[in-house]
mmCIF file of all heavy atoms in Angstrom:
data_model
loop_
_atom_site.group_PDB
_atom_site.id
_atom_site.type_symbol
_atom_site.label_atom_id
_atom_site.label_comp_id
_atom_site.label_asym_id
_atom_site.label_seq_id
_atom_site.Cartn_x
_atom_site.Cartn_y
_atom_site.Cartn_z
ATOM 1 N N GLN A 221 -28.368 -56.863 -65.930
ATOM 2 C CA GLN A 221 -29.492 -57.827 -66.186
ATOM 3 C C GLN A 221 -30.781 -57.262 -65.482
ATOM 4 O O GLN A 221 -30.778 -57.111 -64.250
ATOM 5 C CB GLN A 221 -29.104 -59.149 -65.573
ATOM 6 C CG GLN A 221 -30.198 -60.269 -65.761
ATOM 7 C CD GLN A 221 -29.698 -61.678 -65.446
ATOM 8 O OE1 GLN A 221 -28.569 -61.997 -65.759
ATOM 9 N NE2 GLN A 221 -30.541 -62.455 -64.792
ATOM 10 N N TYR A 222 -31.789 -57.034 -66.320
ATOM 11 C CA TYR A 222 -33.080 -56.571 -65.837
ATOM 12 C C TYR A 222 -33.978 -57.708 -65.688
ATOM 13 O O TYR A 222 -34.155 -58.576 -66.504
ATOM 14 C CB TYR A 222 -33.713 -55.543 -66.782
ATOM 15 C CG TYR A 222 -32.915 -54.277 -66.979
ATOM 16 C CD1 TYR A 222 -31.814 -54.207 -67.863
ATOM 17 C CD2 TYR A 222 -33.244 -53.121 -66.301
ATOM 18 C CE1 TYR A 222 -31.141 -53.000 -67.985
ATOM 19 C CE2 TYR A 222 -32.610 -51.957 -66.428
ATOM 20 C CZ TYR A 222 -31.513 -51.868 -67.252
ATOM 21 O OH TYR A 222 -30.798 -50.660 -67.415
ATOM 22 N N TYR A 223 -34.576 -57.727 -64.471
ATOM 23 C CA TYR A 223 -35.524 -58.904 -64.185
ATOM 24 C C TYR A 223 -36.588 -58.574 -63.265
ATOM 25 O O TYR A 223 -36.566 -57.492 -62.531
ATOM 26 C CB TYR A 223 -34.746 -60.175 -63.674
ATOM 27 C CG TYR A 223 -34.076 -60.020 -62.433
ATOM 28 C CD1 TYR A 223 -34.695 -60.540 -61.244
ATOM 29 C CD2 TYR A 223 -32.849 -59.345 -62.274
ATOM 30 C CE1 TYR A 223 -34.122 -60.428 -59.923
ATOM 31 C CE2 TYR A 223 -32.240 -59.221 -60.991
ATOM 32 C CZ TYR A 223 -32.805 -59.763 -59.815
ATOM 33 O OH TYR A 223 -32.250 -59.661 -58.690
ATOM 34 N N ILE A 224 -37.584 -59.297 -63.210
ATOM 35 C CA ILE A 224 -38.790 -59.170 -62.226
ATOM 36 C C ILE A 224 -38.680 -60.364 -61.368
ATOM 37 O O ILE A 224 -38.681 -61.516 -61.706
ATOM 38 C CB ILE A 224 -40.156 -59.267 -62.979
ATOM 39 C CG1 ILE A 224 -40.209 -58.003 -64.012
ATOM 40 C CG2 ILE A 224 -41.274 -59.128 -62.064
ATOM 41 C CD1 ILE A 224 -41.400 -58.122 -64.888
ATOM 42 N N GLN A 225 -38.679 -60.083 -59.927
ATOM 43 C CA GLN A 225 -38.714 -61.124 -58.957
ATOM 44 C C GLN A 225 -40.123 -61.362 -58.583
ATOM 45 O O GLN A 225 -40.791 -60.589 -57.878
ATOM 46 C CB GLN A 225 -37.899 -60.695 -57.791
ATOM 47 C CG GLN A 225 -37.669 -61.737 -56.688
ATOM 48 C CD GLN A 225 -36.983 -62.898 -57.274
ATOM 49 O OE1 GLN A 225 -35.814 -62.712 -57.899
ATOM 50 N NE2 GLN A 225 -37.490 -64.122 -57.097
ATOM 51 N N PRO A 226 -40.696 -62.429 -59.014
ATOM 52 C CA PRO A 226 -42.139 -62.685 -58.602
ATOM 53 C C PRO A 226 -42.242 -62.999 -57.142
ATOM 54 O O PRO A 226 -41.377 -63.567 -56.505
ATOM 55 C CB PRO A 226 -42.436 -64.022 -59.478
ATOM 56 C CG PRO A 226 -41.158 -64.643 -59.820
ATOM 57 C CD PRO A 226 -40.053 -63.486 -59.801
ATOM 58 N N GLN A 227 -43.432 -62.581 -56.637
ATOM 59 C CA GLN A 227 -43.742 -62.880 -55.180
ATOM 60 C C GLN A 227 -44.298 -64.227 -54.914
ATOM 61 O O GLN A 227 -44.378 -64.742 -53.882
ATOM 62 C CB GLN A 227 -44.590 -61.824 -54.683
ATOM 63 C CG GLN A 227 -44.001 -60.416 -54.770
ATOM 64 C CD GLN A 227 -42.676 -60.303 -54.021
ATOM 65 O OE1 GLN A 227 -42.594 -60.423 -52.759
ATOM 66 N NE2 GLN A 227 -41.620 -60.177 -54.762
ATOM 67 N N ASN A 228 -44.775 -64.803 -56.053
ATOM 68 C CA ASN A 228 -45.294 -66.163 -55.966
ATOM 69 C C ASN A 228 -44.856 -66.898 -57.237
ATOM 70 O O ASN A 228 -45.122 -66.610 -58.413
ATOM 71 C CB ASN A 228 -46.867 -66.095 -55.939
ATOM 72 C CG ASN A 228 -47.535 -67.432 -55.710
ATOM 73 O OD1 ASN A 228 -46.840 -68.482 -55.887
ATOM 74 N ND2 ASN A 228 -48.764 -67.473 -55.215
ATOM 75 N N THR A 229 -44.193 -67.999 -56.976
ATOM 76 C CA THR A 229 -43.584 -68.792 -58.156
ATOM 77 C C THR A 229 -44.347 -70.092 -58.494
ATOM 78 O O THR A 229 -43.888 -70.872 -59.161
ATOM 79 C CB THR A 229 -42.127 -69.177 -57.912
ATOM 80 O OG1 THR A 229 -42.037 -69.846 -56.609
ATOM 81 C CG2 THR A 229 -41.254 -67.992 -57.691
ATOM 82 N N MET A 230 -45.587 -70.146 -57.893
ATOM 83 C CA MET A 230 -46.465 -71.258 -58.239
ATOM 84 C C MET A 230 -46.862 -71.221 -59.746
ATOM 85 O O MET A 230 -47.051 -70.059 -60.244
ATOM 86 C CB MET A 230 -47.732 -71.275 -57.279
ATOM 87 C CG MET A 230 -47.386 -71.539 -55.927
ATOM 88 S SD MET A 230 -48.879 -71.553 -54.892
ATOM 89 C CE MET A 230 -49.734 -73.021 -55.545
ATOM 90 N N GLY A 231 -47.019 -72.333 -60.350
ATOM 91 C CA GLY A 231 -47.197 -72.361 -61.768
ATOM 92 C C GLY A 231 -48.422 -71.527 -62.274
ATOM 93 O O GLY A 231 -48.408 -70.819 -63.272
ATOM 94 N N ALA A 232 -49.481 -71.599 -61.453
ATOM 95 C CA ALA A 232 -50.670 -70.838 -61.852
ATOM 96 C C ALA A 232 -50.498 -69.438 -61.854
ATOM 97 O O ALA A 232 -51.347 -68.670 -62.375
ATOM 98 C CB ALA A 232 -51.814 -71.262 -60.905
ATOM 99 N N GLU A 233 -49.505 -68.845 -61.159
ATOM 100 C CA GLU A 233 -49.287 -67.454 -61.066
ATOM 101 C C GLU A 233 -48.302 -66.882 -62.079
ATOM 102 O O GLU A 233 -47.945 -65.717 -62.073
ATOM 103 C CB GLU A 233 -48.722 -67.055 -59.673
ATOM 104 C CG GLU A 233 -49.610 -67.551 -58.503
ATOM 105 C CD GLU A 233 -51.008 -66.835 -58.585
ATOM 106 O OE1 GLU A 233 -51.070 -65.635 -58.992
ATOM 107 O OE2 GLU A 233 -51.977 -67.452 -58.169
ATOM 108 N N LEU A 234 -47.794 -67.718 -62.995
ATOM 109 C CA LEU A 234 -46.774 -67.323 -64.003
ATOM 110 C C LEU A 234 -47.390 -67.296 -65.358
ATOM 111 O O LEU A 234 -48.118 -68.220 -65.706
ATOM 112 C CB LEU A 234 -45.573 -68.189 -63.939
ATOM 113 C CG LEU A 234 -44.782 -68.073 -62.613
ATOM 114 C CD1 LEU A 234 -43.633 -69.040 -62.671
ATOM 115 C CD2 LEU A 234 -44.283 -66.671 -62.399
ATOM 116 N N PRO A 235 -47.096 -66.366 -66.200
ATOM 117 C CA PRO A 235 -47.623 -66.368 -67.658
ATOM 118 C C PRO A 235 -46.874 -67.220 -68.515
ATOM 119 O O PRO A 235 -45.925 -66.845 -69.185
ATOM 120 C CB PRO A 235 -47.435 -64.795 -67.963
ATOM 121 C CG PRO A 235 -46.243 -64.383 -67.241
ATOM 122 C CD PRO A 235 -46.275 -65.184 -65.930
ATOM 123 N N PHE A 236 -47.286 -68.544 -68.524
ATOM 124 C CA PHE A 236 -46.392 -69.532 -69.297
ATOM 125 C C PHE A 236 -46.511 -69.338 -70.768
ATOM 126 O O PHE A 236 -45.558 -69.846 -71.482
ATOM 127 C CB PHE A 236 -46.763 -70.910 -68.878
ATOM 128 C CG PHE A 236 -46.202 -71.297 -67.544
ATOM 129 C CD1 PHE A 236 -46.903 -71.336 -66.299
ATOM 130 C CD2 PHE A 236 -44.815 -71.610 -67.443
ATOM 131 C CE1 PHE A 236 -46.296 -71.653 -65.174
ATOM 132 C CE2 PHE A 236 -44.166 -71.981 -66.329
ATOM 133 C CZ PHE A 236 -44.922 -71.993 -65.112
ATOM 134 N N ILE A 237 -47.494 -68.762 -71.361
ATOM 135 C CA ILE A 237 -47.521 -68.486 -72.773
ATOM 136 C C ILE A 237 -46.406 -67.420 -73.097
ATOM 137 O O ILE A 237 -45.670 -67.589 -74.106
ATOM 138 C CB ILE A 237 -48.866 -67.982 -73.242
ATOM 139 C CG1 ILE A 237 -49.880 -69.155 -73.144
ATOM 140 C CG2 ILE A 237 -48.792 -67.576 -74.745
ATOM 141 C CD1 ILE A 237 -51.203 -68.769 -73.629
ATOM 142 N N ASP A 238 -46.294 -66.441 -72.282
ATOM 143 C CA ASP A 238 -45.284 -65.406 -72.468
ATOM 144 C C ASP A 238 -43.862 -66.034 -72.263
ATOM 145 O O ASP A 238 -42.987 -65.787 -73.108
ATOM 146 C CB ASP A 238 -45.391 -64.305 -71.433
ATOM 147 C CG ASP A 238 -46.576 -63.383 -71.695
ATOM 148 O OD1 ASP A 238 -47.153 -63.434 -72.678
ATOM 149 O OD2 ASP A 238 -46.881 -62.584 -70.713
ATOM 150 N N LEU A 239 -43.695 -66.912 -71.277
ATOM 151 C CA LEU A 239 -42.448 -67.464 -71.007
ATOM 152 C C LEU A 239 -42.049 -68.598 -72.056
ATOM 153 O O LEU A 239 -40.901 -68.962 -72.162
ATOM 154 C CB LEU A 239 -42.417 -68.037 -69.564
ATOM 155 C CG LEU A 239 -42.692 -67.069 -68.421
ATOM 156 C CD1 LEU A 239 -42.653 -67.708 -67.097
ATOM 157 C CD2 LEU A 239 -41.610 -65.951 -68.444
ATOM 158 N N GLY A 240 -43.079 -69.010 -72.785
ATOM 159 C CA GLY A 240 -42.849 -70.071 -73.713
ATOM 160 C C GLY A 240 -42.784 -69.551 -75.144
ATOM 161 O O GLY A 240 -42.917 -70.317 -76.149
ATOM 162 N N THR A 241 -42.606 -68.230 -75.260
ATOM 163 C CA THR A 241 -42.499 -67.612 -76.519
ATOM 164 C C THR A 241 -41.135 -66.874 -76.689
ATOM 165 O O THR A 241 -40.541 -66.423 -75.759
ATOM 166 C CB THR A 241 -43.577 -66.487 -76.715
ATOM 167 O OG1 THR A 241 -44.881 -67.168 -76.527
ATOM 168 C CG2 THR A 241 -43.562 -65.936 -78.075
ATOM 169 N N ILE A 242 -40.542 -66.960 -77.911
ATOM 170 C CA ILE A 242 -39.299 -66.430 -78.208
ATOM 171 C C ILE A 242 -39.551 -64.997 -78.887
ATOM 172 O O ILE A 242 -40.291 -64.950 -79.792
ATOM 173 C CB ILE A 242 -38.435 -67.234 -79.177
ATOM 174 C CG1 ILE A 242 -38.251 -68.587 -78.543
ATOM 175 C CG2 ILE A 242 -37.059 -66.545 -79.421
ATOM 176 C CD1 ILE A 242 -37.474 -68.661 -77.244
ATOM 177 N N TYR A 243 -38.892 -63.950 -78.321
ATOM 178 C CA TYR A 243 -38.957 -62.638 -79.035
ATOM 179 C C TYR A 243 -37.414 -62.159 -79.142
ATOM 180 O O TYR A 243 -36.673 -62.364 -78.140
ATOM 181 C CB TYR A 243 -39.751 -61.657 -78.151
ATOM 182 C CG TYR A 243 -39.543 -60.208 -78.612
ATOM 183 C CD1 TYR A 243 -40.201 -59.756 -79.764
ATOM 184 C CD2 TYR A 243 -38.649 -59.339 -77.895
ATOM 185 C CE1 TYR A 243 -39.903 -58.481 -80.214
ATOM 186 C CE2 TYR A 243 -38.407 -58.119 -78.374
ATOM 187 C CZ TYR A 243 -39.096 -57.612 -79.471
ATOM 188 O OH TYR A 243 -38.847 -56.309 -79.950
ATOM 189 N N GLY A 244 -37.156 -61.649 -80.291
ATOM 190 C CA GLY A 244 -35.818 -61.137 -80.444
ATOM 191 C C GLY A 244 -35.489 -60.752 -81.877
ATOM 192 O O GLY A 244 -36.447 -60.432 -82.652
ATOM 193 N N PHE A 245 -34.247 -60.666 -82.202
ATOM 194 C CA PHE A 245 -33.825 -60.132 -83.496
ATOM 195 C C PHE A 245 -32.861 -61.104 -84.119
ATOM 196 O O PHE A 245 -31.926 -61.573 -83.512
ATOM 197 C CB PHE A 245 -33.101 -58.740 -83.236
ATOM 198 C CG PHE A 245 -33.970 -57.665 -82.770
ATOM 199 C CD1 PHE A 245 -34.203 -57.536 -81.410
ATOM 200 C CD2 PHE A 245 -34.627 -56.848 -83.668
ATOM 201 C CE1 PHE A 245 -35.017 -56.537 -80.903
ATOM 202 C CE2 PHE A 245 -35.370 -55.802 -83.241
ATOM 203 C CZ PHE A 245 -35.625 -55.687 -81.827
ATOM 204 N N GLU A 246 -33.176 -61.463 -85.393
ATOM 205 C CA GLU A 246 -32.316 -62.275 -86.266
ATOM 206 C C GLU A 246 -31.730 -61.354 -87.325
ATOM 207 O O GLU A 246 -32.504 -60.923 -88.225
ATOM 208 C CB GLU A 246 -33.137 -63.414 -86.850
ATOM 209 C CG GLU A 246 -33.489 -64.499 -85.916
ATOM 210 C CD GLU A 246 -32.282 -65.374 -85.442
ATOM 211 O OE1 GLU A 246 -31.311 -65.423 -86.230
ATOM 212 O OE2 GLU A 246 -32.336 -65.948 -84.363
ATOM 213 N N GLY A 247 -30.394 -61.127 -87.351
ATOM 214 C CA GLY A 247 -29.870 -60.227 -88.216
ATOM 215 C C GLY A 247 -28.422 -60.448 -88.539
ATOM 216 O O GLY A 247 -27.942 -61.528 -88.261
ATOM 217 N N GLY A 248 -27.708 -59.477 -89.150
ATOM 218 C CA GLY A 248 -26.443 -59.709 -89.617
ATOM 219 C C GLY A 248 -26.235 -60.698 -90.736
ATOM 220 O O GLY A 248 -25.208 -61.287 -90.942
ATOM 221 N N VAL A 249 -27.440 -60.998 -91.433
ATOM 222 C CA VAL A 249 -27.367 -61.978 -92.523
ATOM 223 C C VAL A 249 -27.247 -61.232 -93.770
ATOM 224 O O VAL A 249 -28.082 -60.407 -94.264
ATOM 225 C CB VAL A 249 -28.712 -62.732 -92.495
ATOM 226 C CG1 VAL A 249 -28.715 -63.775 -93.609
ATOM 227 C CG2 VAL A 249 -28.881 -63.516 -91.203
ATOM 228 N N ALA A 250 -26.176 -61.490 -94.530
ATOM 229 C CA ALA A 250 -25.756 -60.762 -95.647
ATOM 230 C C ALA A 250 -26.132 -61.591 -97.065
ATOM 231 O O ALA A 250 -25.827 -62.671 -97.143
ATOM 232 C CB ALA A 250 -24.346 -60.459 -95.748
ATOM 233 N N ASN A 251 -26.705 -60.757 -97.951
ATOM 234 C CA ASN A 251 -26.927 -61.351 -99.324
ATOM 235 C C ASN A 251 -25.908 -60.597 -100.212
ATOM 236 O O ASN A 251 -25.970 -59.322 -100.366
ATOM 237 C CB ASN A 251 -28.337 -60.990 -99.811
ATOM 238 C CG ASN A 251 -28.549 -61.257 -101.274
ATOM 239 O OD1 ASN A 251 -27.887 -62.058 -101.838
ATOM 240 N ND2 ASN A 251 -29.475 -60.485 -101.909
ATOM 241 N N THR A 252 -25.053 -61.348 -100.942
ATOM 242 C CA THR A 252 -24.078 -60.770 -101.827
ATOM 243 C C THR A 252 -24.258 -61.312 -103.217
ATOM 244 O O THR A 252 -23.584 -60.825 -104.170
ATOM 245 C CB THR A 252 -22.687 -61.179 -101.343
ATOM 246 O OG1 THR A 252 -22.495 -62.574 -101.269
ATOM 247 C CG2 THR A 252 -22.336 -60.525 -99.968
ATOM 248 N N ALA A 253 -25.266 -62.191 -103.404
ATOM 249 C CA ALA A 253 -25.412 -62.883 -104.711
ATOM 250 C C ALA A 253 -26.372 -62.064 -105.575
ATOM 251 O O ALA A 253 -27.334 -61.476 -105.161
ATOM 252 C CB ALA A 253 -25.920 -64.323 -104.481
ATOM 253 N N ASN A 254 -26.086 -62.085 -106.889
ATOM 254 C CA ASN A 254 -26.956 -61.615 -107.912
ATOM 255 C C ASN A 254 -27.263 -60.114 -107.755
ATOM 256 O O ASN A 254 -28.320 -59.717 -108.231
ATOM 257 C CB ASN A 254 -28.247 -62.379 -107.999
ATOM 258 C CG ASN A 254 -27.975 -63.862 -108.215
ATOM 259 O OD1 ASN A 254 -27.476 -64.339 -109.206
ATOM 260 N ND2 ASN A 254 -28.431 -64.721 -107.182
ATOM 261 N N ILE A 255 -26.400 -59.370 -107.191
ATOM 262 C CA ILE A 255 -26.546 -57.957 -107.116
ATOM 263 C C ILE A 255 -25.786 -57.286 -108.310
ATOM 264 O O ILE A 255 -24.681 -57.396 -108.327
ATOM 265 C CB ILE A 255 -25.996 -57.321 -105.770
ATOM 266 C CG1 ILE A 255 -26.772 -57.911 -104.594
ATOM 267 C CG2 ILE A 255 -26.015 -55.859 -105.740
ATOM 268 C CD1 ILE A 255 -26.334 -57.584 -103.273
ATOM 269 N N ALA A 256 -26.495 -56.666 -109.219
ATOM 270 C CA ALA A 256 -25.970 -56.024 -110.382
ATOM 271 C C ALA A 256 -26.776 -54.856 -110.742
ATOM 272 O O ALA A 256 -27.927 -54.668 -110.294
ATOM 273 C CB ALA A 256 -26.013 -57.102 -111.489
#
Side-chain angles (χ1 to χ4, degrees):
Q221 181 170 320
Y222 293 84
Y223 66 99
I224 298 173
Q225 186 62 52
Q227 298 304 290
N228 189 340
T229 57
M230 294 181 62
E233 301 297 328
L234 297 177
F236 279 106
I237 293 179
D238 288 348
L239 300 178
T241 303
I242 305 297
Y243 167 77
F245 294 86
E246 287 287 336
V249 180
N251 167 29
T252 59
N254 303 300
I255 298 178

